[in-house]
Amino acid sequence: MGAGTGPRRRPSAGANAVAWALAAAAAALPQEAAAAVPAEFKAHSAVVLSVVIGLVVFATILSLMHLRERAKWARRERMLSAELAELRGAHDRAELLLGSESQVVVTWAGRDEPLIEGDVALASEPGRPASPRRVLAFGAWLAGADAAALEGAVETLRSRGERFRMTVRSSAGRTIEAQGQAVGGRALLRLRELTAERQELVELRTRTGEMRDSLSALATLLDAIPQPVWRRRRDGRLAWANAAYVRAVEAADRDRALREGTELLDRPAREEASRRRAGGACGTLRVSAVVAGERCTLDVTEVPIDTGSVGIAVDVSELESVRADLQRQMDANVRTLDQLPTAVAMFDARQRLIFHNTAYRELWDLDAGFLDGRPLDGEILDALRGSRKLPEQADFRSWKAGVLAAYRATEAQQFWWHLPDGRTLRVVADPNPQGGVTYLFDDVSERFQLESRYNALMRVQAETLDTLKEPVAVFGSDGRLQFANRAFAAVWRLDEAMLASQPHIDAVIAACRDLSPAEEPWTEIRGAVTGLMDVRQGLDCRLALRDGTMLDCAAQPLPEGATLLTHIDVTAGVNVERALTEKNDVLERTARLRDEFVHHVSYELRSPLTNIIGFTELLGDETVGALNTRQREYAEHIMRSSAALLAIINDILDLASIDAGSMELIQDVVDVRDTVSAAVRGIEDRLAEAAITLDFDVPPDIGTFMADGKRIRQILFNLLSNAVGFSSPGQEVRVSARKTDTALVLEVADRGRGMPPEVMARVFERFESHTLGTRHRGVGLGLSIVRSFIELHGGRIDIDSAPGQGTRVTCTFPLDGPEPHLAAAE
């Protein structure tokens, strides 16, 4: 109430008593007493009176103030009473409101203990008493993750004043709404159990948030994938597209692409997709489209939804290329497998035949129509058993189950089938990772036969090598002894224990060096056995043993890096060779002495023979006196004998010059007809004396060639002399010449006795003279000189003769100018 309207308060009883006491004391003093009082007393009384009056005034003022304050406190009391009544009504209303729902309110004022109000049964468990402190033990009545989240939110609220609102779930399955905020410097936590409608609203809000997050995540994911994705409205216009779609249509941004309706697919493709959606077919449509400026092949899938349709385009250009390449490879593999001699059959996971090559069909002689019908594996086995082409089995059912167990195996299995027709098959059943089995049927009958033959052959070879008298050893590619026969062990005195241990070549050489100490041959043998060479070659060397035995060692490379080492005892051959070498040296010295003697004697005889011929010519010319008939005959005999002797000496000198390598041809243009005629004139006397007819067959236009004319005449003269000497009177000697494109051929033929083969074999040897029953005599140098001169011209000589059929000698000279050489001397 106001100060003017409140009741006045009366002074207190103590104050009134003091005032009345002072007044009575002052009135009781008589006047005389007052006059008789001394001045000091009067002064003291005045002081007392002043004090009393002051006290009265002070009491009066104090009373007045007390009255005023009491009125003020009365008004304050009335205000507080009204406010208290109002607060009690508000408290009652708050309690009524707080109790109207199942909720708990917790407040904190600084660091004081929290005030917990409301229905604490919210945090209790069925069958247990409610406890206010249990409300703040969130872990005791809330789910683990929710309790941790709520504790963190409360701590943040109390420390920083951040408000929060969340929904948690209790262990009993109730949904609690937790709301925290700062009010008037206090932290307030409100826990309220949601009603069905509100709980449904919260759940819807939660689901809406989750769906919004899912849609955002889905949109982010769709923007991240490289395949274009879009959504259309009911009218077919674009409503949304991901980043890949924007890139594919080369638009500036998503909004512009949607605003302008930029399409990835052309009109026919969109219409086809629309027809498919209308017809309920949601399969993949393969189209060709331009993606980011490049022509690509796309697999487009569009499905209808309530608001329109959604679609995705997958670029399968590379897949198509890979698929085409894979198809080509598969076709090539099929063609390759079809050419293999090994039978191949492939079955899928359902045990049906999906591929077989020609070798498989020919192996089992099955009908092509039956195989093209993709029969089961078991059906094929039954058909083969019915035609008695499978191995005979006591329990075919169990055997068949064992074969078909390959479909459940994890690794390849191998079987051996011995067929009734005598063939042996190696069957490999290889399970495929995607299911099914691939069978490989390899006919190893021939291999078994070859292996058996090979083993038998190896045993025969081993026995054969072991019975040889020559030492034989075989070393492997690692240099170890693989085989050694008895002769090898006997020659090198190796015991069986050492041979059985397959020693290395170094150990074998160390054992053999005791008998053959020479180091160089063993080094070569070791290199031939263990050396690393680009091209392996054989080795031949000789080993000398301490006892004088000589062995010819040969190392021959074998397949797979092996080496065959053989020894041959050549002691007797070496001794014979040594004797023959010594004899040959003696013969060579003898031949050299003979040649030197002949050369020396020929030069020594030529000078006196020339004098004899000269003096005989003087006598024949009768410049020193007349000769009688007998003397003239003697002189002619001396001339003929001297001429013959001079020819022999000249031949010997020519041979000596050829042997010494000093014979040189004087090359010049030689007229063939004139040269042959000159050689014929040299034997005209002998032709007339022996009554031999000469057939001269040289064309007039035969021309010339490059040669030494003197030696050509000498060749023809010697050949004609031999022809006349071995011809009988009345027979004919024929000389002919002809030219080819590259050579001049001179031929001298007679119809005399001819020569047997044994004489022809030595006819060109020096000092080989055979009369063959005629009067022809000679020292055996004519044909040797002829061959030497022809070979010096670069030509060749051929003789064709037989007893009773005469002899024909053919000389061939090159026309392009001979190059002198010493083939005759060699």
Side-chain angles (χ1 to χ4, degrees), residues 206-280:
T206 303
R207 290 176 59 187
T208 302
E210 292 177 353
M211 292 180 64
R212 186 180 298 109
D213 295 340
S214 298
L215 288 176
S216 177
L218 180 59
T220 304
L221 176 62
L222 291 177
D223 279 336
I225 64 176
Q227 290 79 19
V229 179
W230 62 91
R231 180 171 61 83
R232 298 183 186 276
R233 298 187 179 93
R234 293 182 181 273
D235 58 359
R237 298 185 59 188
L238 286 174
W240 182 85
N242 68 344
Y245 186 96
V246 177
R247 291 194 301 269
V249 298
E250 299 179 306
D253 52 31
R254 191 196 316 268
D255 295 337
R256 185 172 180 179
L258 297 178
R259 185 172 58 256
E260 296 178 356
T262 307
E263 293 289 348
L264 175 64
L265 307 179
D266 55 10
R267 182 179 299 276
R270 296 198 304 273
E271 293 177 353
E272 178 63 23
S274 178
R275 284 194 298 270
R276 283 172 172 258
R277 292 196 306 273

Side-chain angles (χ1 to χ4, degrees), residues 556-700:
Q556 294 296 329
L558 297 178
E560 299 181 359
T563 304
L564 174 66
L565 191 65
T566 61
H567 298 323
I568 299 178
D569 190 350
V570 293
T571 306
V574 169
N575 294 334
V576 173
E577 181 181 357
R578 187 181 298 114
L580 291 177
T581 301
E582 294 175 355
K583 184 177 180 180
N584 184 62
D585 293 340
V586 173
L587 293 176
E588 287 182 355
R589 288 196 299 270
T590 302
R592 190 163 50 252
L593 290 174
R594 182 195 65 188
D595 293 340
E596 292 176 356
F597 172 77
V598 170
H599 187 268
H600 180 71
V601 170
S602 299
Y603 273 103
E604 293 299 327
L605 291 177
R606 190 169 185 177
S607 297
L609 184 58
T610 304
N611 294 333
I612 293 173
I613 293 174
F615 286 122
T616 304
E617 288 179 351
L618 289 176
L619 291 176
D621 293 341
E622 297 182 358
T623 56
V624 294
L627 299 177
N628 56 30
T629 302
R630 186 176 294 275
Q631 291 174 340
R632 191 176 294 109
E633 291 178 357
Y634 289 164
E636 290 176 358
H637 285 297
I638 292 173
M639 281 293 296
R640 286 196 296 270
S641 299
S642 299
L645 182 58
L646 181 61
I648 294 173
I649 293 175
N650 288 335
D651 290 342
I652 294 174
L653 291 177
D654 289 340
L655 289 174
S657 299
I658 293 172
D659 292 342
S662 59
M663 173 66 72
E664 293 184 1
L665 298 179
I666 302 175
Q667 301 287 336
D668 198 359
V669 178
V670 177
D671 186 281
V672 178
R673 186 176 178 85
D674 292 345
T675 302
V676 177
S677 299
V680 171
R681 286 195 297 271
I683 62 166
E684 286 180 348
D685 293 341
R686 296 184 59 186
L687 289 172
E689 181 180 356
I692 302 298
T693 304
L694 180 65
D695 181 9
F696 187 81
D697 183 14
V698 180

Side-chain angles (χ1 to χ4, degrees), residues 456-479:
L457 182 61
M458 290 297 296
R459 288 193 297 270
V460 171
Q461 289 180 351
E463 292 294 335
T464 303
L465 293 177
D466 204 35
T467 56
L468 289 178
K469 295 183 179 180
E470 291 79 9
V472 176
V474 178
F475 292 88
S477 58
D478 56 353

Side-chain angles (χ1 to χ4, degrees), residues 329-351:
Q329 292 183 5
M330 290 179 62
D331 293 341
N333 291 337
V334 168
R335 291 193 299 270
T336 302
L337 291 175
D338 206 39
Q339 299 298 323
L340 288 179
T342 302
V344 180
M346 297 182 183
F347 293 84
D348 59 11
R350 295 179 299 172
Q351 301 185 12

